[in-house]
Amino acid sequence: MPPTTHRRKITQKELKAPDEFTTFVDSARDFLVNNLTQVLVSTAVVVAAGAIVIGVYYYERHRDTVAAAQFYDAITALNAGQNKQAETQFKQLADEEPGRRLGRLARFYLASAYIADSDLPDARDSLVAFLAEERDPLFRSLGLTNLAVVYERMADWKKAAGAYQQAAADPGPEQASAELGVARMLARSGDKQGAIDAYRGFLAAHPFAQQRQGVMESLALLGAPADIPPPSSAPGSPQPVVIH
């Protein structure tokens, strides 16, 4: 005999009762209706914030492009020997974009234009402002070397020696030149023995340096033992460094 199947009778009340999904949909609908204003405001805020972020991004990219074009024009003028024009363009870029990399670098090249125009006080001030914010080791070394050159041309031996010492403290393309600058400033300030020691220290640290011949000549002029006869003059005057 087959097993008896018990069928549960669904009441009229159960048929009318909403299921869980229907209840959830209704609750969501009620929430949306009751909070429609807040939802719309929140959505508008999110959309506006996104639009602002996108707008700022493209605006900053536009300013980067404009700054690059100004920098290129100024460099072109500097390389062409149009120092006054280069000064104006670099100064404008430095003043308008102090927070951008090209705006900060503009002060370094502005100083180069001033040096080429023999405007040493303005070159000094531009380099001091540049070094106050510059963190890149290469450009700091170049900036310090150029500042030392400016001080040397202004016959401020003490400040020139200090700038050369700072430039010589870090490895870089101008390190050897800066070390010789320190020795040269000591000699010009009257510290003969200090200059001799600095020149000898350079020879010990750089036995095969290209500047060896000039250092031997400088030592001979200072009365220190030399392997070659002393010439009539010491190594030539320093030149500022410019990266093209």
Side-chain angles (χ1 to χ4, degrees), residues 80-129:
Q82 300 169 352
N83 300 325
K84 292 297 184 184
Q85 180 179 340
E87 291 167 16
T88 299
Q89 292 173 322
F90 279 128
K91 189 175 188 307
Q92 180 181 357
L93 180 56
D95 291 341
E96 292 179 352
E97 301 292 354
R100 295 182 187 278
R101 179 59 175 156
L102 289 180
R104 294 192 296 272
L105 282 179
R107 296 198 179 279
F108 173 83
Y109 289 97
L110 173 60
S112 299
Y114 282 140
I115 292 173
D117 213 21
S118 298
D119 186 350
L120 299 181
D122 280 335
R124 174 200 59 204
D125 295 344
S126 183
L127 286 168
V128 169

Side-chain angles (χ1 to χ4, degrees), residues 137-156:
L138 173 60
F139 274 96
R140 277 197 61 81
S141 175
L142 296 175
L144 285 166
T145 301
N146 281 3
L147 181 59
V149 170
V150 170
Y151 280 135
E152 183 172 355
R153 292 186 180 182
M154 296 176 74
D156 193 335

Side-chain angles (χ1 to χ4, degrees), residues 31 39 45 47 56 78 82 85 104 108 199 223-224 244:
F31 174 83
V39 170
V45 169
V47 171
V56 169
L78 180 62
Q82 300 169 352
Q85 180 179 340
R104 294 192 296 272
F108 173 83
Y199 278 127
H244 299 286

Side-chain angles (χ1 to χ4, degrees), residues 21-237:
F21 177 75
T22 303
T23 302
F24 172 78
V25 171
D26 290 342
S27 298
R29 181 190 59 199
D30 292 341
F31 174 83
L32 181 61
V33 171
N34 295 332
N35 299 275
L36 181 59
T37 301
Q38 183 176 352
V39 170
L40 291 177
V41 170
S42 299
T43 303
V45 169
V46 171
V47 171
I52 291 173
V53 170
I54 294 174
V56 169
Y57 172 81
Y58 282 106
Y59 175 67
E60 290 300 319
R61 298 290 72 77
H62 171 70
R63 289 181 62 183
D64 284 341
T65 301
V66 172
Q70 291 176 325
F71 190 85
Y72 176 80
D73 290 343
I75 282 287
T76 301
L78 180 62
N79 291 338
Q82 300 169 352
N83 300 325
K84 292 297 184 184
Q85 180 179 340
E87 291 167 16
T88 299
Q89 292 173 322
F90 279 128
K91 189 175 188 307
Q92 180 181 357
L93 180 56
D95 291 341
E96 292 179 352
E97 301 292 354
R100 295 182 187 278
R101 179 59 175 156
L102 289 180
R104 294 192 296 272
L105 282 179
R107 296 198 179 279
F108 173 83
Y109 289 97
L110 173 60
S112 299
Y114 282 140
I115 292 173
D117 213 21
S118 298
D119 186 350
L120 299 181
D122 280 335
R124 174 200 59 204
D125 295 344
S126 183
L127 286 168
V128 169
F130 168 74
L131 290 167
E133 298 182 353
E134 183 60 27
R135 296 295 177 266
D136 182 88
L138 173 60
F139 274 96
R140 277 197 61 81
S141 175
L142 296 175
L144 285 166
T145 301
N146 281 3
L147 181 59
V149 170
V150 170
Y151 280 135
E152 183 172 355
R153 292 186 180 182
M154 296 176 74
D156 193 335
W157 317 128
K158 184 177 180 179
K159 288 185 178 180
Y164 277 130
Q165 285 177 333
Q166 291 183 66
D170 297 322
E174 296 301 312
Q175 184 180 39
S177 176
E179 291 175 359
L180 291 177
V182 174
R184 189 170 57 252
M185 294 305 97
L186 290 171
R188 291 187 177 179
S189 63
D191 186 354
K192 179 179 177 180
Q193 188 57 49
I196 291 173
D197 293 341
Y199 278 127
R200 285 176 172 169
F202 177 86
L203 291 176
H206 310 281
F208 303 106
Q210 295 180 347
Q211 300 93 329
R212 180 180 178 82
Q213 178 67 25
V215 172
M216 296 297 295
E217 294 171 0
S218 295
L219 283 170
L221 287 174
L222 291 169
D227 298 330
I228 58 175
S232 58
S233 62
S237 61

